[in-house]
């Protein structure tokens, strides 16, 4: 027997799981015998791989699925010019002809070889032999037994099952010894039984009995029939036979051999679930299930789509072998089932089973499709397991990273390839594409230096791509270097060189490149070339040169839509809106209809000029022409809303978001401008709509977008939402936050009074992210708000230890932390340290010091410092005036407060919402409630007045209660619900009412408002809790006890409050 043996696993992989060749292989047949049997089967087998080994199987060996390989090839086809392919073909032909000529000249001459026949002669008995004739010819040469018999019998059965019984029973009659006849009969019975033909199996056994007088053993025939019925999928017949076996056995069980035969038959027929039941019964009978049977089970399940169900059913019952995990994970990759892949990985870990290399590769190809750090973890795990990803697999991973913008993984894979000196030219091209997809054009350009160091020369298309990347990255020197190497026959390369020069502000070079194109390739000069050159002129405000070029263009080419739009943009850039509108008229005279880009240019010009009325006129004109508002229009209006000094006009600009044709979720840049504008203007309703709509959008948020989303949730009091976006950024997508995003998250936690969480996050990321002065200042501000000056100072010392440069913001925040607690001596020492380190105090610094004096009740010192600040040339602002006013109101110095309000007007300082709340408190304490109402309602009517927020509303209600006007408190409470863009009533407003109304005989109304608060203040999913003040609730229940209404009103109210998530002390309900 030959030393070479065939692996049945190989035959299974070729799709021959139930072939005669497989049975022969399992029974120890020689390699030559199996090869001969395979010849016939493979000729009809629907294998996917090609004869030369270049089919899907070869692609999988390289780490690529066929579809992925095709996609990879398509993505790179732009880097292989057709000229290179033609040169290779010509070189191959020349080499082949030279070798053939050399071989012909050196071969010794002899008699001419006979001419080969192009087709076989039909009379040739050998070539025309059918399997039956071949068998009979072989039989004439001598006795045929064992594997030779099995080989020919299998062929005859496959060719014509009808002749099988007659032919081979006749053979057995002449076979000789009874023992040999019985052995051959058993081999022959296996053929129809394993092919699912119970009729032929029965016929063969009957013929052997009738003609040979040979009775097949009952057990043997029983197993053959089980195999035949199972292989043909006849489950009812199989169960009948198994029931009979159970009835006849001593222990009422089925033999393990019977279960194994049935399981294999079901697998051949593609019945994975039925096969599993038999394997489970085998395990339940106390027998071990062969690992190979489990692997075959999953191979069949992968074809029938039952992998998940089978895997779930196997858990805790039958161990899954390593080979089976490879099949499962490949199925997960093909079906993109991430959950099942995670379950399979966990099961392998729990079993202590090492995944095969194919399993690791499937996991890599699966997880690279999803953002996060899982793919990187698998990439490291495959190396720890002793496997080394090949170059083809690595290139596939980098290509997929381009789609998911997972540059961290792409760079990690590239580093691995560099360490093994396997970074091929194709890998560099793929990595360059990944950088470009992520907008990292600088890094894409850096790869050019690496390619040059290796001595490789980029092709023309890569040079063109590099020119484009250099232009987008602003790499001036590289653009100049590439200018002499690019393909002069490609118009796109000229376009990018001209654009690059324009972006650099080098109009002369842009025009020189255009002239070079005119001289070298005049046939390539078209309208697009002129338009790009015009754009280089207008973005640099060279309108005269643009007009000269336009005049030249008239003589050879017609102006198109882009030409006119470029000129409109140019006029708007230099602030000449009239000429821009004139160009629009010229466009229409030329018969070209303006598009959204035309009006976007006009809108941008009007926005820069802060001409809000003109922007409205342009929008009206677009509506008349039924031109939809595109992303540029939306972005322009959002930017304008931030810049407009008139609050009413700013809100009118934001109102564009209410239009049904405005889509903010189709472009990340637009979405960011919307978030930024709504945050700046505190437009909570529109901001809430934007945040709520993000999860269902197709936007793939960048790190900057995550920062804005976290900031938006902080403004909306959705601390959990801040955490959700942070976890998505860091854990789900595996992205590294920058200092700005970390600062936004820490600030959100500080604003939510989650100071300890903010500090923990800071400690976790201080070694991963560069923590600047702003982040430290935010934490110091948090400790200042809680009155913890000591921990604020600890952060100050930490800054010095880590070499963080202090600035006026950090010092001011630290001073404020001490001043708020009246620690003026230490605050003044910090002011001295601030000046020693060269940090000049600003208005906010002085405001913090003034606040400290006010806290201590030293208003004269506060005023003295205020006058000193003015003498130093600082401008007074609302923060300083608010600090002084609050000190006056707190200490009852109302004449001084009146003087400050007059001085505030003389300094042209506009009051803020906090100013308004102080004014309300002031008039309340002075007993002049009407003036408090006048101040608030005047602000509501004034478009440029202070923003009336929930804090002002709470002050209004509190003032009414303080002045014993409960009816006015209820009236203004109902009225404030109609105030425009009002973010109340809040918990403080309700608390003031439910604690104050009972004191004035409105106990029932207070209970009603408490019940209303249970609905209004109940935290929505993702929103922060807004509980009523415990002291207010205690006062309400005390009043109910005094009026003996606890049973009637108190207990029902307590249940409603608890259902709303508010704390109710049981003692409050004691009679």
């Amino acid at each position: 027997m030959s030393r070479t043996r065939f692996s049945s696993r190989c035959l299974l992989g070729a799709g021959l799981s139930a072939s005669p060749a497989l049975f022969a292989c399992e029974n120890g047949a020689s390699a030559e015998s199996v090869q001969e049997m395979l010849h016939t089967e493979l000729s009809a087998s629907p294998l996917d791989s090609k004869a030369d080994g270049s089919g899907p199987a070869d692609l999988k060996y390289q780490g690529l699925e066929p579809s992925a390989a095709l996609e990879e090839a398509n993505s790179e086809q732009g880097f292989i010019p057709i000229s290179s392919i033609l040169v290779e073909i010509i070189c191959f032909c020349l080499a082949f002809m030279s070798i053939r000529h050399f071989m012909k000249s050196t071969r010794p001459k002899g008699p001419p070889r006979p001419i080969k026949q192009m087709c076989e002669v039909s009379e040739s008995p050998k070539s025309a032999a059918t399997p039956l004739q071949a068998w009979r010819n072989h039989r004439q040469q001598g006795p045929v037994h064992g594997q030779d018999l099995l080989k020919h019998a299998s062929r005859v059965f496959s060719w014509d099952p009808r002749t099988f019984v007659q032919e081979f029973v006749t053979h057995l009659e002449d076979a000789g010894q009874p023992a040999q006849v019985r052995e051959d009969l058993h081999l022959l019975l296996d053929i129809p039984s394993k092919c699912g033909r119970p009729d032929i199996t029965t016929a063969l056994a009957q013929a052997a009995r009738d003609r040979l007088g040979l009775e097949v053993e009952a057990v043997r025939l029983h197993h053959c029939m089980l195999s035949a019925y199972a292989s043909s999928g006849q489950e009812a017949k199989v169960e009948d036979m198994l029931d009979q076996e159970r009835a006849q056995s001593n222990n009422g069980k089925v033999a393990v051999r019977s279960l194994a035969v049935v399981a294999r038959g079901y697998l051949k027929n593609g019945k994975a679930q039925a096969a599993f039941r038999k394997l489970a019964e085998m395990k339940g009978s106390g027998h071990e299930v062969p690992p190979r049977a489990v692997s075959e089970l999953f191979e069949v399940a992968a074809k029938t789509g039952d992998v998940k169900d089978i895997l779930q059913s196997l858990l805790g019952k039958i161990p899954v072998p390593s080979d089976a995990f490879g099949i499962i994970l490949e199925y997960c990759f093909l079906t993109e089932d991430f959950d099942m892949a995670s379950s399979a990985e966990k099961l392998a870990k729990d079993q202590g089973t090492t995944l095969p290399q194919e399993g690791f590769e499937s996991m890599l190809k699966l997880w690279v499709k999803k953002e996060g750090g899982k793919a990187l973890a698998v990439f490291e795990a495959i190396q720890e397991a002793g496997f080394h990803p090949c170059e083809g697999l690595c290139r596939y991973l980098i290509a997929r990273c381009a789609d998911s913008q997972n540059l961290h993984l792409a760079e990690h894979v590239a580093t691995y390839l560099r360490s093994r000196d396997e970074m091929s030219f194709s890998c560099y091209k793929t990595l360059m594409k990944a950088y470009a997809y992520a907008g990292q054009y600088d890094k894409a350009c850096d790869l050019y230096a690496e390619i040059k160091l290796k001595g490789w020369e980029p092709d023309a298309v890569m040079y063109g791509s590099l020119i484009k990347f250099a232009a987008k990255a602003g790499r001036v020197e590289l653009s100049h270097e590439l200018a002499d190497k690019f393909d002069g026959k490609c118009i796109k390369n000229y376009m990018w060189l001209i654009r690059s020069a324009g972006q650099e502000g080098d109009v002369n070079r842009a025009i020189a490149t255009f002239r070079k194109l005119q001289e070298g390739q005049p046939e390539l000069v078209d309208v697009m070339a002129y338009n790009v050159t015009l754009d280089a002129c207008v973005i640099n405000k060279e309108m005269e040169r643009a007009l000269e070029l336009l005049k030249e263009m008239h003589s050879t080419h017609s102006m198109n839509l882009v030409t006119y739009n470029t000129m409109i943009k140019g006029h708007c850039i230099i602030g000449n809106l009239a000429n821009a509108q004139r160009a629009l008229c010229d466009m229409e005279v030329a018969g070209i209809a303006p598009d959204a880009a035309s009006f976007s240019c006009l809108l941008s010009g009007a926005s820069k000029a802060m001409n809000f009325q003109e922007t409205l006129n342009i929008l009206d004109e677009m509506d008349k022409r039924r031109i939809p508002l595109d992303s540029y229009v939306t972005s322009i209006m959002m930017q304008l809303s931030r810049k407009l000094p008139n609050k009413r006009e700013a809100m009118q600009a934001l109102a564009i978001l209410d239009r049904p044709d405005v889509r903010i979720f189709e472009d990340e840049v637009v979405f960011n401008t919307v978030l930024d504008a709504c945050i700046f203007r505190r437009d909570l309703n529109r901001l809430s709509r934007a945040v709520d709509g993000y999860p269902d959008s197709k936007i793939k948020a960048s790190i900057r977008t995550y920062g804005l989303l976290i900031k938006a949730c902080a403004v909306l009091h959705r601390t959990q939402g801040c955490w959700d976006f942070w976890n998505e950024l860091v854990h789900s997508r595996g992205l590294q936050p920058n200092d700005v995003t970390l600062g936004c998250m820490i600030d959100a936690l500080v604003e939510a009074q989650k100071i300890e969480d903010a500090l923990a996050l800071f400690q976790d990321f201080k070694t991963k992210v560069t923590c600047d002065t702003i982040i430290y200042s935010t934490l110091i501000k948090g400790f200042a708000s809680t009155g913890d000056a000591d921990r604020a100072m600890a952060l100050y010392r930490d800054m010095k230890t880590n070499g963080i440069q202090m600035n006026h913001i950090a010092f001011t925040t630290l001073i404020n932390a001490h001043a708020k607690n009246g620690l003026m001596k230490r605050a003044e020492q910090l002011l001295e340290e601030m000046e020693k380190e060269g940090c000049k105090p600003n208005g906010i610094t002085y405001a913090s010091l003034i606040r400290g004096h006010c806290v201590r009740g030293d208003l004269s010192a506060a005023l003295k410092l205020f006058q000193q600040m003015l003498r130093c040339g600082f401008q007074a602002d609302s923060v300083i005036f608010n600090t002084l006013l609050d000190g006056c109101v707190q200490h009852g110095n109302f004449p001084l407060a009146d003087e400050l309000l007059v001085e505030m007007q003389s300094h042209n300082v506009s009051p803020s919402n906090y100013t308004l709340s102080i004014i309300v408190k002031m008039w309340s304490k002075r007993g002049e409630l009407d003036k408090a109402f006048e101040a608030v309602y005047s602000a509501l009517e004034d478009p440029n007045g202070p923003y009336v927020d929930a804090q002002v509303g709470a002050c209004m209600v509190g003032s009414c209660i303080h002045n014993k006007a409960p009816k006015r408190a209820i009236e203004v409470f109902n009225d404030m619900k109609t105030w425009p863009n009002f973010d109340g009533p809040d918990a403080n407003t309700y608390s003031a009412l439910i604690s104050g109304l009972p004191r004035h005989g409105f106990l029932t109304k207070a209970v009603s408002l408490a019940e209303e608060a249970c609905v209004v203040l109940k935290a929505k999913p993702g929103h922060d809790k807004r509980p009523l003040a415990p002291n207010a609730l205690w006062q309400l229940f005390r009043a109910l006890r005094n009026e003996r209404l606890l049973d009637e009103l108190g207990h029902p109210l307590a249940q409603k409050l608890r259902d709303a998530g508010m704390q109710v002390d049981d003692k409050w309900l004691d009679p």
Side-chain angles (χ1 to χ4, degrees):
M1 183 178 292
S2 172
R3 290 180 301 168
T4 305
R5 298 291 297 259
F6 272 80
S7 167
S8 59
R9 173 72 177 168
C10 296
L11 300 181
L12 286 168
L16 303 174
S17 58
S19 68
L22 177 58
F23 301 141
C25 179
E26 291 173 351
N27 290 319
S30 65
E32 292 80 1
S33 300
V34 177
Q35 284 178 330
E36 190 169 354
M37 294 176 71
L38 279 173
H39 176 75
T40 302
E41 295 183 42
L42 290 176
S43 63
S45 177
L47 294 176
D48 291 333
S49 58
K50 299 177 184 177
D52 61 358
S54 61
D58 185 60
L59 293 174
K60 288 185 179 180
Y61 176 77
Q62 299 178 35
L64 294 174
E65 288 299 310
S67 59
L70 179 60
E71 180 182 348
E72 182 71 14
N74 290 337
S75 67
E76 294 182 3
Q77 63 183 356
F79 287 103
I80 305 176
I82 191 65
S83 57
S84 299
I85 298 174
L86 292 175
V87 168
E88 290 183 10
I89 293 173
I90 293 170
C91 290
F92 173 79
C93 294
L94 291 173
F96 177 77
M97 293 172 63
S98 300
I99 293 171
R100 191 170 185 272
H101 176 75
F102 174 77
M103 296 297 293
K104 189 175 181 180
S105 62
T106 56
R107 185 170 58 236
K109 294 184 178 180
R113 291 182 299 175
I115 299 175
K116 288 185 177 181
Q117 292 179 328
M118 299 306 294
C119 57
E120 301 291 354
V121 180
S122 58
E123 288 77 16
S124 172
K126 184 176 180 179
S127 61
T130 63
L132 181 60
Q133 291 171 330
W135 150 249
R136 289 174 177 173
N137 292 337
H138 190 77
R139 182 185 174 196
Q140 290 175 0
Q141 298 174 10
V144 185
H145 305 290
Q147 297 304 317
D148 282 347
L149 174 63
L150 181 62
K151 173 186 67 176
H152 286 284
S154 298
R155 290 181 178 179
V156 171
F157 183 85
S158 298
W159 177 68
D160 186 3
R162 294 171 298 179
T163 63
F164 176 78
V165 174
Q166 177 65 31
E167 182 68 24
F168 287 96
V169 169
T170 301
H171 165 72
L172 291 175
E173 288 177 334
D174 304 329
Q177 297 297 326
Q180 185 64 56
V181 171
R182 182 174 293 279
E183 181 180 345
D184 289 347
L185 176 60
H186 290 168
L187 284 176
L188 292 172
L189 279 170
D190 280 344
I191 296 173
S193 67
K194 292 183 178 180
C195 289
R197 292 298 298 269
D199 54 335
I200 297 180
T201 305
T202 304
L204 180 60
Q206 184 66 40
R209 183 184 306 112
D210 295 343
R211 294 172 56 182
L212 304 177
L214 187 61
E215 191 74 35
V216 180
E217 296 175 4
V219 174
R220 183 86 181 191
L221 183 58
H222 176 69
H223 288 158
C224 286
M225 293 305 296
L226 280 174
S227 177
Y229 284 128
S231 298
S232 60
Q234 299 185 53
E235 293 186 52
K237 290 283 188 181
V238 171
E239 293 304 320
D240 288 343
M241 292 186 68
L242 293 179
D243 288 342
Q244 293 175 15
E245 183 176 341
R246 290 188 187 96
Q248 295 171 5
S249 67
N250 295 328
N251 57 7
K253 295 182 178 180
V254 176
V256 65
R257 173 66 179 168
S258 300
L259 294 173
V261 165
V262 171
R264 172 160 297 194
Y266 282 146
L267 288 174
K268 180 186 178 302
N269 194 254
K271 290 183 172 292
Q273 294 286 356
F276 165 73
R277 287 193 291 272
K278 296 309 164 192
L279 293 178
E281 187 176 343
M282 184 188 303
K283 181 69 175 177
S285 300
H287 300 283
E288 289 298 322
V289 177
R292 182 173 163 277
V294 179
S295 297
E296 288 184 16
L297 173 64
F298 279 106
E299 285 179 346
V300 173
K303 296 175 183 177
T304 59
D306 294 323
V307 172
K308 192 169 188 176
D309 293 338
I310 296 294
L311 185 61
Q312 287 292 332
S313 302
L314 279 176
L315 292 178
K317 298 177 182 177
I318 301 174
V320 180
S322 179
D323 286 350
F325 279 114
I327 299 166
I328 294 167
L329 291 170
E330 182 181 12
Y331 178 81
C332 293
F333 162 63
L334 295 173
T335 58
E336 296 190 4
D337 194 328
F338 297 95
D339 293 337
M340 183 161 56
S342 298
S343 300
E345 184 185 13
K346 183 179 183 301
L347 177 60
K349 186 177 180 180
D350 293 342
Q351 287 186 178
T353 304
T354 301
L355 294 178
Q357 183 170 358
E358 297 82 0
F360 276 116
E361 291 177 356
S362 295
M363 284 182 64
L364 269 176
K365 292 185 288 183
L366 173 67
W367 286 109
V368 76
K369 297 179 181 181
K370 197 170 186 178
E371 296 170 337
K374 180 63 177 178
L376 180 57
V378 175
F379 188 79
E380 293 174 344
I382 192 174
Q383 297 173 70
E384 292 174 1
F387 304 120
H388 296 287
C390 65
E391 184 267 349
L393 174 61
C394 291
R395 182 156 39 90
Y396 172 87
L397 296 175
I398 296 172
R400 298 290 74 77
C401 288
D403 299 330
S404 61
Q405 297 186 13
N406 190 349
L407 291 185
H408 186 56
L409 175 61
E411 290 173 337
H412 190 89
V413 174
T415 301
Y416 162 81
L417 288 173
R418 291 185 183 106
S419 69
R420 296 175 59 83
D421 198 23
E422 294 179 358
M423 191 71 177
S424 65
F425 188 66
S426 296
C427 289
Y428 275 109
K429 290 190 290 185
T430 309
L431 182 59
M432 192 177 289
K433 181 184 73 172
Y435 282 136
Y437 271 40
Q440 299 287 334
Y441 300 108
D442 252 323
K443 291 187 175 181
C445 293
D446 290 340
L447 294 179
Y448 175 59
E450 283 190 49
I451 292 172
K452 287 198 303 180
L453 285 176
K454 287 182 173 287
W456 296 335
E457 184 69 22
D459 55 29
V461 178
M462 179 180 275
Y463 271 127
S465 298
L466 283 168
I467 289 171
K468 174 181 176 181
F469 302 155
K472 291 195 171 187
R475 299 282 287 268
V476 180
E477 294 182 3
L478 181 59
S479 295
H480 294 173
E481 179 184 346
L482 296 171
D484 299 327
K485 298 183 178 182
F486 75 93
D487 183 4
K489 297 180 181 180
C490 180
I491 184 67
K492 289 185 178 179
N493 293 342
Y494 280 102
M495 298 299 98
W496 280 109
L497 285 174
I498 295 170
R499 285 193 181 101
S500 175
Q503 291 168 0
E504 297 165 21
D506 194 344
V507 178
N508 290 332
R509 187 160 63 86
I511 294 178
T513 305
F514 176 69
R515 298 303 180 200
K516 181 180 177 181
L517 173 63
Q518 283 182 314
E519 295 169 5
Q521 303 287 335
E523 70 279 2
L524 297 181
V525 179
D526 57 5
V527 178
M528 182 175 68
Y530 272 105
N531 289 340
V532 172
T533 312
L534 281 172
D535 188 66
C537 294
V538 302
I539 63 174
N540 290 287
K541 301 182 180 181
E542 293 277 1
M543 285 304 295
E544 291 186 5
R545 301 183 76 172
L547 291 170
E548 291 174 5
L549 196 63
L550 188 67
K551 184 177 180 181
E552 175 188 320
M553 179 182 175
H554 267 301
S555 61
T556 55
H557 297 84
S558 299
M559 294 172 63
N560 63 7
L561 178 63
V562 177
T563 311
Y564 281 106
N565 285 346
T566 303
M567 298 307 295
I568 292 171
K569 179 173 73 172
H571 290 303
C572 290
I573 287 174
I574 63 174
N576 197 332
L577 196 58
N579 278 355
Q581 291 172 332
R582 194 172 295 113
L584 184 72
C585 295
D586 293 341
M587 181 195 305
E588 293 186 285
V589 171
I592 299 175
D595 64 353
S598 310
F599 286 100
S600 295
C601 294
L602 288 175
L603 200 65
S604 178
S607 173
K608 288 179 180 177
M610 300 294 286
N611 190 340
F612 184 66
Q613 186 57 51
E614 185 60 29
T615 61
L616 295 181
N617 295 339
I618 293 170
L619 291 174
D620 288 341
E621 186 64 25
M622 293 181 72
D623 289 338
K624 290 177 183 176
R625 296 170 182 260
R626 296 183 178 179
I627 296 175
L629 306 186
D630 60 10
S631 58
Y632 295 103
V633 173
T634 307
S635 295
I636 291 168
M637 295 303 293
M638 294 303 101
Q639 294 165 12
L640 180 62
S641 71
R642 288 186 97 260
K643 296 186 295 182
L644 285 170
N646 187 302
K647 177 184 173 183
R648 180 169 294 176
E649 290 181 348
M651 298 307 292
Q652 196 173 351
L654 281 175
I656 194 176
L657 298 176
D658 301 333
R659 295 177 51 142
D661 57 338
V662 172
R663 297 176 176 85
I664 67 172
F665 299 110
E666 294 183 356
D667 184 273
E668 186 185 14
V669 175
V670 175
F671 182 65
N672 287 348
T673 60
V674 170
L675 290 176
D676 188 46
C678 291
I679 291 170
F680 182 80
R681 288 295 176 185
R682 289 296 189 270
D683 190 338
L684 304 185
N685 291 331
R686 295 187 177 100
L687 182 61
S688 180
R689 288 208 310 264
V691 173
D692 292 341
Y694 164 76
D696 296 326
S697 71
K698 296 181 180 179
I699 293 174
K700 186 168 288 185
S702 62
I703 295 175
R704 179 176 184 273
T705 303
Y706 277 114
L708 286 169
L709 285 166
I710 291 169
K711 198 172 182 180
C713 285
V715 171
L716 295 169
H717 303 294
R718 302 183 186 180
T719 308
Q720 185 55 49
C722 297
W723 278 119
D724 290 342
F725 286 123
W726 178 262
N727 290 329
E728 181 181 316
L729 164 70
V730 176
H731 302 297
S732 299
R733 294 187 59 186
L735 300 178
Q736 179 70 22
N738 57 22
D739 56 334
V740 176
T741 309
L742 178 61
C744 289
M745 187 63 202
I746 290 176
D747 186 62
L749 294 173
V750 168
E751 289 296 322
Q753 298 297 309
K754 305 287 186 181
I755 312 300
E756 298 302 327
D757 289 346
L759 185 62
L761 186 68
F762 167 75
Q763 297 292 353
D764 188 24
F765 277 86
K766 66 184 295 185
T767 58
K768 305 173 187 176
V769 178
T770 302
C771 293
D772 57 11
T773 311
I774 296 175
I775 293 177
Y776 275 97
S777 299
T778 303
L779 287 167
I780 293 172
K781 179 183 71 174
F783 288 123
S785 67
T786 60
D788 196 341
D790 292 337
R791 296 180 77 181
M793 282 301 294
L795 282 169
Y796 170 58
R797 289 189 291 270
D798 189 58
M799 288 180 71
K800 286 197 166 187
T801 302
N802 291 298
I804 306 296
Q805 182 64 44
M806 292 289 291
N807 60 11
H808 69 279
I809 298 174
F811 271 117
T812 299
T813 308
L814 200 57
I815 289 170
N816 185 53
H818 289 80
K820 284 185 71 174
N821 293 283
L823 303 174
M824 291 306 298
K825 186 176 180 180
R826 183 57 183 142
E828 289 168 354
Q829 289 175 351
L830 286 168
L831 180 63
E832 292 177 4
E833 291 181 31
M834 179 179 182
E835 292 173 339
K836 285 180 182 178
E837 293 197 18
C839 296
K840 294 182 179 181
N842 60 8
I844 300 176
T845 311
Y846 280 103
S848 299
L849 290 167
I850 290 170
R851 178 181 291 107
H853 290 302
C854 292
V855 167
R856 300 182 65 181
D858 193 351
L859 295 179
S860 60
L863 285 172
K864 183 179 178 181
L865 187 60
F866 174 63
Q867 296 300 329
Q868 179 185 338
M869 183 197 78
L870 294 178
R871 286 195 298 272
C872 291
F874 289 101
Q875 294 292 324
D877 58 11
S878 62
V879 175
I880 292 176
F881 276 110
N882 289 342
T883 303
L884 288 168
L885 279 170
D886 190 52
C888 293
V889 172
Q890 292 291 335
H891 297 285
N893 194 338
F894 301 123
L896 181 56
D898 292 337
E899 292 177 14
L900 288 170
L901 287 173
V902 173
E903 194 168 351
M904 193 173 183
Q905 291 180 348
S906 66
H907 282 82
N908 293 319
V909 176
S910 299
S912 65
N913 58 319
Y914 188 56
T915 312
L916 186 58
S917 67
I918 296 171
I919 291 173
V920 171
K921 292 176 186 177
M922 180 189 71
W923 291 121
S924 172
K925 286 190 173 185
R926 297 169 79 168
E928 299 188 45
L929 194 57
D930 290 340
K931 289 187 177 181
F933 271 77
E934 181 183 349
V936 172
Y937 280 91
S938 295
L940 287 170
E941 295 172 1
D942 184 1
N944 296 317
Y947 172 58
V948 181
D949 61 0
Q951 182 181 5
V952 175
C955 289
M956 285 290 292
V957 169
S959 297
C960 294
I961 298 296
H962 178 72
N963 285 275
K964 300 178 181 180
K967 291 184 178 179
R968 292 192 74 175
I970 296 171
E971 288 174 1
V972 74
F973 171 77
N974 291 327
D975 191 33
M976 69 178 61
K977 296 177 182 178
T978 65
W979 292 349
N981 203 34
F982 182 65
D983 59 346
D986 63 0
N988 291 332
T989 309
Y990 279 101
S991 297
L993 284 168
I994 65 175
S995 64
L997 289 177
R999 297 198 301 268
H1000 300 286
F1002 289 85
L1003 180 57
T1004 306
K1005 181 62 177 178
V1007 172
S1008 174
L1009 288 173
E1011 292 175 343
E1012 179 182 316
C1014 291
V1015 178
V1016 175
L1017 300 181
K1018 185 176 181 180
K1020 299 177 182 177
H1023 292 64
D1024 294 347
K1025 290 183 178 179
R1026 298 181 294 166
L1028 293 169
N1031 184 59
L1033 289 173
W1034 173 75
Q1035 292 184 51
L1036 176 60
F1037 280 101
R1038 185 179 64 175
L1040 289 171
R1041 185 194 304 118
N1042 294 338
E1043 295 296 328
R1044 299 183 179 180
L1045 293 173
L1046 279 177
D1047 291 336
E1048 180 183 348
L1049 300 177
H1051 287 283
L1053 174 61
Q1055 186 59 48
K1056 291 178 182 178
L1057 288 168
R1058 285 168 174 157
D1059 291 343
M1062 300 187 195
Q1063 296 295 325
V1064 177
D1065 194 330
D1066 290 336
K1067 294 180 180 179
W1068 298 347
L1069 300 173
D1070 291 341

